[in-house]
Amino acid sequence: MKCIIGEDVVLSRPLEGPLSAHIAGFAKWVSEEGYALYSRHRQVRLTACFSRWLGEKGADVSNIGSEHVVRYLRTHPRQVKIARGDAAALRYFLDFLRRQGVIPPEKISPHSISHVEQVVQEFQRYLLNDRALAPSTVINYAPFVRGFLSNCFGRGPVKLSQLCAGDVVRFVQRLAKRLHLKRAKLLTAALRSFLHYLLYRGDVLHDLAGAVPTVANWSMTSIPRAIPPDLVRRLLVSINRRTAMGRRDYAILLLLARLGLRASEVAGIALEDIDWNAGTLIIRRKGGQHSTLPLPAEVGAAITAYLRNGRPRNNNCRSVFLRERAPFKGFLGPVAITSVVRNNLARAGIKAPTKGAHQFRHGLATDLLRHGASLMEIGELLGHRSPETTKIYTKVDLKALRPLALPWPGGVR
C-alpha cells in the first residue's frame, strides 16, 4: 500500500513509528527550504525509516535525541542504504521536531565536554556578550586558547591558578615558529586576551599577558598583492550572468572590486542595508563600526538583477546573498566569499596574485592611488581606522617612488 507525503513524495508503505505524524510537516518544511525533488524524496524516505526503526526499538518520544541517530546509522537498516549527508538530514529532522515542541531540547551532559572545552566556551561567551567582539574574531581566538590549555593540562582538570609565565613563553616559542607571521600575531593576541580575562575573573593573581612574547614584525615589510585591473575585467566578463549563481557571483565580485569590501563585509550585507532611494549602502566594519558608502550604479544594477532573477523568492532570510543550494540561507562568514572568488578565478583560467578576496581590495586602493586619490580618501573608502594601515599602498606606486630613489654608489657600469 503506497503512502503519499505532500504532493510529490510517494512511499511504498505506510508511515509507522512514534514520529510518523510529523513527517508530512517535515516534508512541507523541506519543500519550503527549496530542496530539489530527489533530495526531498530522500529525506522523507530516510525519516520514515528512522521513525519505523524507533518504533521497533520501543523508543519514547520524550527521550529521542542525537544518540538515536548515531545508533540508527550504525545499524545500517536493510530498507535504506546509508549515504553521505544522511546524518545531516536526520539532524535537520530532529531540529524541526524540537522547534515544533515534539521532542525535548538536546541535553548535553557537562561530563561529555572536556575541562579544557568548558573553559574555552566560557571565554567565548565572555568575548561575545561582555566584550561584543565579532564572531569571526572569537572563532579565530578559540583554537589558540584551546591549544594552550591542552598543552598545559592535557585531558585532566584545568587548574588555572597554576599557570605561570613559563607556560606562556614556552607555548608561544614552540608554536609561533611554525606559523605564518599573521597567524603568529593572532596567536599572541588571542593569548593576551585570554590571560586578561583570567585576571579579570580572579583565576590568576598576576597579569600573565605581559609574559606573552612579541612576534618580530617590521612595519610594511611586504607589498600588497593586488589583482591588476585587466584581470578584474577578464574575470567579470567570464561570468555567465544567465544563471542565478552567475548573477549572484557577479554582484559579489563587483562589490569586492568597486568598493574594496572585505569578504566578511560582503557576507554580512542585509536587505535593509541598501537604501535604493538615496543610492547608499551600509557596511558593517571591524569592531562593530558602520560606514555608509555610495552605491555605484553598476553595482546596484548587478544586485538588482540578482534579487529579481537569482535570489530564491519567498525566503525569510535577510541576507542579500544566499547559498546556491538548499537550505537557502545567508553565508556563514568570509570563507564562503573566498570560495566564490577562488571558483570563478579557476573557471576563468586566471592566474591571480592570490586565490582570496582581499586582492580586490588591494587592487582598488592601488588603482585609486595611481589616479591621484589621497591616502585619506582611500582609507575612508576602505574603512581603515588608522592612517598607518593605508600607508602601505605607497609602496606599490612605483612612479611616485622612483624620483625619491638615491643614486647607486659608483654609478652605472
Side-chain angles (χ1 to χ4, degrees):
M1 180 178 178
K2 293 184 178 181
C3 177
I4 301 177
I5 307 296
E7 298 179 354
D8 46 20
V9 178
V10 180
L11 301 180
S12 59
R13 55 190 295 185
L15 296 174
E16 301 173 24
L19 301 179
S20 58
H22 309 284
I23 292 177
F26 177 68
K28 181 181 178 182
W29 176 82
V30 168
S31 177
E32 291 172 349
E33 286 294 307
Y35 284 92
L37 176 59
Y38 170 80
S39 182
R40 295 202 303 272
H41 185 278
R42 174 74 191 179
Q43 292 191 54
V44 171
R45 184 174 177 226
L46 183 66
T47 53
C49 291
F50 179 56
S51 178
R52 187 178 304 114
W53 177 84
L54 289 171
E56 294 171 355
K57 299 298 180 182
D60 189 280
V61 174
S62 60
N63 295 322
I64 294 175
S66 299
E67 68 277 4
H68 291 91
V69 172
V70 176
R71 288 170 52 196
Y72 169 75
L73 295 175
R74 195 176 291 161
T75 59
H76 294 285
R78 288 179 298 174
Q79 296 95 330
V80 60
K81 184 178 180 181
I82 302 303
R84 181 181 179 184
D86 286 353
L90 289 176
R91 285 198 300 270
Y92 291 152
F93 182 44
L94 293 189
D95 289 341
F96 170 80
L97 295 175
R98 291 189 187 101
R99 290 194 298 271
Q100 300 297 316
V102 177
I103 63 175
E106 188 76 10
K107 294 181 180 179
I108 302 177
S109 171
H111 301 290
S112 65
I113 303 177
S114 68
H115 297 285
V116 166
E117 196 59 36
Q118 289 181 41
V119 177
V120 172
Q121 290 183 9
E122 290 175 1
F123 176 56
Q124 288 179 300
R125 285 193 288 269
Y126 164 76
L127 294 179
L128 287 170
N129 301 329
D130 295 17
R131 294 288 308 280
L133 264 62
S136 58
T137 301
V138 178
I139 291 172
N140 285 329
Y141 279 9
F144 293 119
V145 174
R146 187 178 295 113
F148 172 64
L149 293 175
S150 299
N151 180 73
C152 294
F153 302 106
R155 297 185 178 181
V158 176
K159 300 179 180 180
L160 297 172
S161 60
Q162 296 181 359
L163 289 173
C164 64
D167 297 325
V168 177
V169 173
R170 283 190 294 271
F171 179 74
V172 173
Q173 288 179 339
R174 181 176 60 83
L175 187 60
K177 62 184 179 182
R178 304 203 304 262
L179 299 175
H180 185 276
L181 175 60
K182 288 185 177 180
R183 292 288 296 171
K185 291 175 67 178
L186 185 61
L187 158 67
T188 56
L191 279 186
R192 288 192 186 98
S193 178
F194 177 66
L195 295 171
H196 282 312
Y197 160 74
L198 296 185
L199 183 66
Y200 163 75
R201 285 193 5 146
D203 293 318
V204 296
L205 298 178
H206 304 286
D207 186 5
L208 298 179
V212 178
T214 301
V215 177
N217 180 36
W218 288 267
S219 178
M220 299 193 298
T221 55
S222 61
I223 296 177
R225 291 186 287 179
I227 184 170
D230 61 319
L231 292 187
V232 174
R233 287 191 291 270
R234 276 183 54 194
L235 179 62
L236 293 174
V237 169
S238 70
I239 298 175
N240 180 12
R241 284 183 277 166
R242 293 187 296 273
T243 66
M245 186 177 72
R247 284 186 281 270
R248 184 202 66 182
D249 291 358
Y250 184 75
I252 288 174
L253 292 170
L254 271 183
L255 283 165
L256 295 172
R258 302 294 187 256
L259 294 178
L261 301 185
R262 300 178 179 93
S264 59
E265 294 168 349
V266 175
I269 297 175
L271 295 171
E272 54 269 22
D273 293 334
I274 305 176
D275 188 332
W276 296 105
N277 293 324
T280 58
L281 175 66
I282 296 176
I283 301 300
R284 295 173 174 82
R285 302 290 193 182
K286 283 184 175 180
Q289 302 296 317
H290 292 74
S291 297
T292 300
L293 299 179
L295 185 64
E298 179 187 18
V299 180
I303 295 176
T304 300
Y306 168 65
L307 294 177
R308 288 179 174 174
N309 301 302
R311 192 178 186 275
R313 298 184 181 278
N314 302 321
N315 191 287
N316 295 326
C317 181
R318 302 307 297 170
S319 298
V320 169
F321 299 110
L322 305 182
R323 289 160 38 100
E324 62 174 298
R325 294 181 181 178
F328 296 118
K329 299 179 180 179
F331 294 138
L332 294 178
V335 175
I337 302 298
T338 300
S339 296
V340 169
V341 173
R342 182 176 62 249
N343 293 338
N344 279 281
L345 286 172
R347 197 176 295 116
I350 295 175
K351 293 184 178 180
T354 73
K355 296 180 181 180
H358 226 64
Q359 61 183 320
F360 294 93
R361 184 174 172 85
H362 293 326
L364 176 64
T366 302
D367 196 47
L368 289 174
L369 187 64
R370 286 172 177 165
H371 284 82
S374 68
L375 291 178
M376 182 177 294
E377 292 170 335
I378 295 172
E380 288 179 358
L381 175 63
L382 299 183
H384 289 162
R385 286 180 286 181
S386 170
E388 296 298 318
T389 307
T390 317
K391 284 184 178 179
I392 194 170
Y393 294 110
T394 60
K395 299 180 68 173
V396 299
D397 193 354
L398 300 180
K399 289 183 179 180
L401 291 175
R402 194 166 287 121
L404 302 178
L406 296 175
W408 185 260
V412 180
R413 293 184 181 273

